[in-house]
């Protein structure tokens, strides 16, 4: 019987990444950005497709890898993406153009998410994807659930934080924050939740009530 590590690797290698996303991934590596893995990206595309997204908010643009995956699943959606790094967003803008994504479907917001998110309207998005500074994780999820519509999806990347969340010996601040989030979500009746082991974890939430 194959062990879990082999199964995880098989699931990652199962995904055939489109060329435009593979190029964006290479740019991410060159910039030192930890992009979502192909399996995580494929799951994002599936969630976007299954929920028939029209409006997507991404916290953490990077070089465009996750945004391309989200738009692959929701070809008619508009993607708004927040990142503090203007230069990274320009690389992402090129990646979207190279993938023939119309410019009117992309809204890049340069700024600190903690300052941008409070200005966003309640229930305005079908899907919110969070892949940004872990120290602000709990705040981002709170805002994500506020600005997602009822029945909308909030997805948190790196929810197992490089395999360390499951390690009892790991007790650094980032691991503690992820554990606190998972514990809070597990007790909440306001969301339906699932934790995927794709990549280093995707926490998937469906907002059940306001």
């Amino acid at each position: 019987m194959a062990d879990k590590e082999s199964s995880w690797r098989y699931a990652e290698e199962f995904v055939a990444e489109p060329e435009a996303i593979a190029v964006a991934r290479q740019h991410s590596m060159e910039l030192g950005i930890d992009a979502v893995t192909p399996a995580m990206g494929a799951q994002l595309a599936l969630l976007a497709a299954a929920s028939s997204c029209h409006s997507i908010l991404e916290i953490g643009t990077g070089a465009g890898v996750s945004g391309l995956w989200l738009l692959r699943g929701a070809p008619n959606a508009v993607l708004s993406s927040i990142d503090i790094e203007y230069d990274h967003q320009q690389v992402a803008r090129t990646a979207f153009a190279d993938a023939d994504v119309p410019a009117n479907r992309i809204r890049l917001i340069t700024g600190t998410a903690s300052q941008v998110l409070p200005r966003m309207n309640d229930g305005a998005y079908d899907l919110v994807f969070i892949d940004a500074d872990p120290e602000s994780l709990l705040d981002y999820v709170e805002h994500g659930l506020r600005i997602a519509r009822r029945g909308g999806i909030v997805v948190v990347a790196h929810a197992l934080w490089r395999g360390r969340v499951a390690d009892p010996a790991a007790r650094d601040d980032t691991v503690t924050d992820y554990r606190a989030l998972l514990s809070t979500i597990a007790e909440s009746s306001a969301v339906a939740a699932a934790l995927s082991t794709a990549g280093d974890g995707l926490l998937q939430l469906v907002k059940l009530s306001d």
Side-chain angles (χ1 to χ4, degrees), residues 1-209:
M1 178 181 294
D3 60 25
K4 291 183 179 179
E5 176 101 12
S6 298
S7 296
W8 174 87
R9 188 179 304 109
Y10 185 88
E12 285 289 341
E13 294 173 351
F14 168 77
V15 179
E17 197 159 55
E19 182 179 356
I21 300 180
V23 171
R25 181 176 302 285
Q26 180 60 40
H27 291 156
S28 293
M29 294 172 62
E30 293 167 358
L31 291 167
I33 299 169
D34 188 12
V36 298
T37 68
M40 295 168 80
Q43 196 154 350
L44 290 176
L46 185 147
L47 290 169
S51 57
S52 301
C53 284
H54 295 288
S55 56
I56 300 172
L57 176 66
E58 177 183 52
I59 305 172
T61 309
V65 174
S66 51
L68 286 170
W69 273 115
L70 287 162
L71 291 172
R72 182 175 175 81
N76 297 315
V78 173
L79 172 71
S80 299
S81 188
I82 305 169
D83 203 296
I84 196 171
E85 297 288 350
Y86 175 81
D87 291 344
H88 292 178
Q89 287 192 322
Q90 297 316 298
V91 174
R93 191 184 299 279
T94 299
F96 294 133
D98 289 346
D100 295 324
V101 178
N104 62 0
R105 288 177 50 207
I106 303 296
R107 179 184 175 220
L108 299 181
I109 305 168
T110 305
T112 304
S114 59
Q115 296 178 346
V116 175
L117 290 170
R119 302 198 298 266
M120 293 190 158
N121 294 331
D122 294 4
Y125 291 91
D126 299 315
L127 189 152
V128 178
F129 176 57
I130 302 169
D131 185 9
D133 47 312
E135 60 268 22
S136 299
L137 176 67
L138 299 177
D139 186 45
Y140 292 165
V141 172
E142 182 178 348
H143 278 296
L145 289 171
R146 176 183 62 80
I147 62 182
R149 64 169 173 80
R150 183 179 297 186
I153 298 172
V154 176
V155 186
V156 181
H158 311 297
L160 295 172
W161 195 245
R162 300 164 185 170
R164 292 174 56 78
V165 169
D167 180 1
R171 298 180 181 179
D172 57 82
D173 290 345
T174 299
V175 169
T176 299
D177 287 343
Y178 275 105
R179 287 180 183 150
L181 170 63
L182 293 171
S183 295
T184 300
I185 290 301
E187 298 170 356
S188 175
S189 60
V191 298
L195 178 59
S196 165
T197 56
D200 65 340
L202 275 180
L203 176 61
Q204 303 156 81
L205 312 173
V206 174
K207 182 177 177 180
L208 301 178
S209 62

